[in-house]
Amino acid sequence: MSRLVVISNRVSDPRKVAAGGLAVALGDALATSGGLWFGWSGKIVEGGASGEGELHQQRAGNVELVTIDLSREDHDTYYTGYSNQALWPAFHYRLDLADFGSGFFAGYQRVNRLFARKLAPLLRDDDVIWVHDYHLIPLASELRSLGCRQRIGFFLHIPLPPPPILAAIPGHEWLMRSFFAYDLVGLQTHEDADHFARFLVGEAHAERLPDGRFSAYGRTMRAQDFPIGIDVDEFQGLAESAESRETEATLKQQYAHRRLLVGIDRLDYSKGLPRRLRAFRELLDNYPENRNSATLIQIASPTRESVDAYADIRHELEGLAGEINGTYGELAWMPIRYMHRTWARKRLPGLYRAAKVALVTPLRDGMNLVAKEYVAMQDEDDPGVLVLSRFAGAAEQMREALLVNPYDIPATAQTIQRALQMPLAERRERHAALLKRIREYDVHAWRKDFLGVLAEAAPPPPVV
Ligand code: ADQ
């Protein structure tokens, strides 16, 4: 069996709960075949030489974790700069927020080259290599230029926008060409895969082969959607933890005579949080029976705080939460409980179970695993209702949720009201259909599907 090598910006120890479902799923695959996981260590070396970094190696069972430090300049240009201020906004349809600042692009190339240079000597001829996410799009082409001939797959966790948006990215020709160094490119949704195909044919003049692969720049590559899932069993197991039970019991007692709604996100402008709060305010305005009753717990974890757009969204959100609480709050009831922190993973199931309604209303999202986690955690006999943005990748699979357009605030408020009033029989029916689907295509099925298609996408290289 070939060894699996995973490369992602950050590496997590798959044995730790905090690592989350993806790490567990990749960890499983790595542990089965014996594997290597490579990425940034999380350490920034002030004054370190750019394009250089110390390697650290650590064993976790039969998985080798190899990480590399980054100099301050590399970190600020590759990670904060090109990845999070150029590619992240552009790929989330927010060209207005994208900064293609000088030095970002060169830093991105430099760090991808550094990763390739450090990784290549650790590779075996028959390794299967799986690269994750937008930080590392050019990694395969850097590896190929060092002579690597292994099978290499790539999975994009964020959306892929339509061709005119991609075409606005300076250097997009180079970026798109980089994809052709992979044997397989995985995307979250049909829609993303369709955008990608249109771009490849229309802008990169790729030829679509009869078997569905694309040919350009002297290489062929397969691209298709693999909607990422969660580890339903692992997550349901977490619900048994003391922390989760305690959270559920406390909240159920506190809200015994009220209705609890929940939102859990990273504090990112793509998640649509200000519009969500405005829709909640509209709910209180238009449907007064919710006053003194409906409470939204909104947890927003800090992220990328050195980027201005993130500081702006935090201020906007805090202003709105204060304004809504100031207008409607009573001594014994506050409509919004807003927390700017990361919630312990072990407590999440308890929060999901106590909430009658989950609001997952991003303006654009690759998939959104919170939507799936909420469904996985519901009591099948008395499940809560998922209000889901049609612009989350998850909406393609989760048609039985109440789908909303988050830009339409009155309609969103109306849908939240419908969720709060939904009869038990309808809740059960919708929940059963959703749970069945997220169970069938969980994160393990996703991983096996991707690696299976990668194995077929290109023949193993000849052993010399
Ligand atoms: P994210 O943008 O981070 O991921 P999401 O899929 O919603 O988005 O969340 C990932 C995980 O983080 C979930 O397990 C969730 O429980 C956890 N999480 C989120 N907010 C939290 C909080 N405040 N406290 C504690 N835990 C929190 C990117 C893409 C997504 C895609 C995933 C996976 O942006 O679209 O679904 O990768 O591919």
Side-chain angles (χ1 to χ4, degrees):
M1 183 193 277
S2 298
R3 183 176 72 155
L4 177 64
V5 175
V6 171
I7 305 109
S8 53
N9 178 58
R10 293 306 304 274
V11 170
S12 28
D13 184 335
R15 297 167 303 180
K16 295 189 178 149
V17 173
L22 177 63
V24 172
L26 292 176
D28 261 13
L30 288 162
T32 315
S33 56
L36 192 157
W37 194 341
F38 185 96
W40 173 39
S41 63
K43 183 171 168 201
I44 302 169
V45 181
E46 299 295 341
S50 60
E52 289 302 330
E54 192 185 331
L55 271 192
H56 307 274
Q57 282 178 265
Q58 192 196 333
R59 277 221 150 259
N62 66 343
V63 182
E64 207 170 332
L65 306 176
V66 182
T67 56
I68 182 167
D69 301 339
L70 289 180
S71 71
R72 164 62 64 192
E73 195 193 347
D74 282 349
H75 170 268
D76 290 357
T77 51
Y78 146 80
Y79 179 73
T80 312
Y82 199 71
S83 296
N84 286 325
Q85 289 179 262
L87 293 182
W88 176 273
F91 277 47
H92 284 84
Y93 299 56
R94 293 299 303 270
L95 286 171
D96 60 316
L97 294 177
D99 180 353
F100 301 104
S102 63
F104 288 179
F105 186 55
Y108 184 70
Q109 287 179 306
R110 192 167 59 239
V111 171
N112 272 275
R113 201 164 297 143
L114 168 67
F115 271 34
R117 223 175 56 234
K118 296 286 183 176
L119 178 64
L122 308 176
L123 295 175
R124 301 175 192 156
D125 286 346
D126 65 341
D127 280 344
V128 170
I129 301 172
W130 192 359
V131 179
H132 287 261
D133 233 358
Y134 58 102
H135 316 87
L136 300 171
I137 295 170
L139 187 65
S141 74
E142 295 294 347
L143 286 169
R144 300 275 183 228
S145 71
L146 296 174
C148 296
R149 300 175 62 194
Q150 290 86 345
R151 272 172 285 184
I152 315 183
F154 176 84
F155 186 76
L156 184 69
H157 289 258
I158 64 175
L160 191 110
I165 296 184
L166 288 174
I169 299 174
H172 64 85
E173 299 88 351
W174 171 85
L175 200 64
M176 288 296 137
R177 190 186 175 117
S178 308
F179 280 113
F180 276 90
Y182 291 98
D183 298 301
L184 173 64
V185 172
L187 302 141
Q188 296 274 29
T189 65
H190 283 307
E191 189 179 48
D192 297 329
D194 178 54
H195 293 158
F196 193 46
R198 278 168 35 212
F199 189 88
L200 295 179
V201 174
E203 294 277 342
H205 307 296
E207 185 190 349
R208 197 163 197 166
L209 303 176
D211 66 1
R213 288 190 297 166
F214 296 91
S215 167
Y217 313 114
R219 279 193 58 89
T220 56
M221 174 261 288
R222 179 175 293 285
Q224 71 181 68
D225 55 307
F226 298 89
I228 195 169
I230 61 165
D231 186 334
V232 176
D233 293 325
E234 181 252 357
F235 211 67
Q236 288 183 341
L238 271 188
E240 304 304 321
S241 72
E243 291 90 337
S244 172
R245 283 170 179 274
E246 188 214 310
T247 305
E248 182 181 352
T250 311
L251 288 173
K252 280 189 167 163
Q253 193 202 356
Q254 278 179 12
Y255 290 92
H257 305 293
R258 295 205 160 96
R259 264 121 25 116
L260 190 60
L261 299 92
V262 71
I264 298 178
D265 308 80
R266 279 188 308 100
L267 181 41
D268 194 293
Y269 48 79
S270 64
K271 305 289 182 184
L273 298 174
R275 283 188 168 79
R276 184 182 305 168
L277 293 202
R278 289 195 184 97
F280 189 69
R281 177 172 62 193
E282 194 112 344
L283 176 86
L284 300 176
D285 264 344
N286 296 351
Y287 307 96
E289 66 269 33
N290 292 306
R291 294 183 204 159
N292 231 323
S293 171
T295 300
L296 170 63
I297 293 188
Q298 176 62 57
I299 300 178
S301 54
T303 180
R304 305 172 197 167
E305 288 183 298
S306 59
V307 178
D308 288 347
Y310 288 79
D312 293 348
I313 197 90
R314 179 177 175 189
H315 286 133
E316 187 181 357
L317 201 59
E318 290 178 353
L320 261 171
E323 182 201 315
I324 296 169
N325 281 343
T327 306
Y328 293 100
E330 301 284 347
L331 274 181
W333 168 73
M334 277 296 152
I336 296 177
R337 287 173 71 178
Y338 165 74
M339 279 158 271
H340 181 236
R341 74 180 73 110
T342 302
W343 198 256
R345 197 170 149 72
K346 276 189 179 167
R347 288 195 181 275
L348 278 179
L351 183 52
Y352 287 137
R353 286 175 82 93
K356 295 279 174 222
V357 173
L359 302 183
V360 179
T361 55
L363 303 179
R364 196 58 67 176
D365 217 328
M367 177 56 59
N368 197 300
L369 297 180
V370 170
K372 296 186 175 182
E373 290 170 355
Y374 179 72
V375 167
M377 285 330 305
Q378 295 310 295
D379 172 356
E380 293 179 31
D381 294 327
D382 186 15
V385 181
L386 174 64
V387 174
L388 178 62
S389 164
R390 55 172 294 182
F391 302 124
E396 252 187 27
Q397 289 175 299
M398 302 182 84
R399 291 282 162 202
E400 295 81 5
L402 293 186
L403 296 185
V404 292
N405 168 7
Y407 292 94
D408 187 343
I409 290 170
T412 303
Q414 196 180 20
T415 305
I416 300 173
Q417 173 70 352
R418 186 175 161 211
L420 287 166
Q421 295 190 321
M422 189 179 287
L424 179 61
E426 184 180 350
R427 282 191 277 131
R428 278 191 183 156
E429 201 176 311
R430 287 176 183 269
H431 175 258
L434 289 169
L435 183 62
K436 182 165 179 281
R437 203 153 322 112
I438 63 170
R439 252 196 191 293
E440 275 166 6
Y441 202 79
D442 68 357
V443 75
H444 300 287
W446 166 82
R447 182 244 302 164
K448 283 183 199 144
D449 196 12
F450 184 93
L451 292 175
V453 176
L454 177 58
E456 283 171 16
V463 179
V464 279

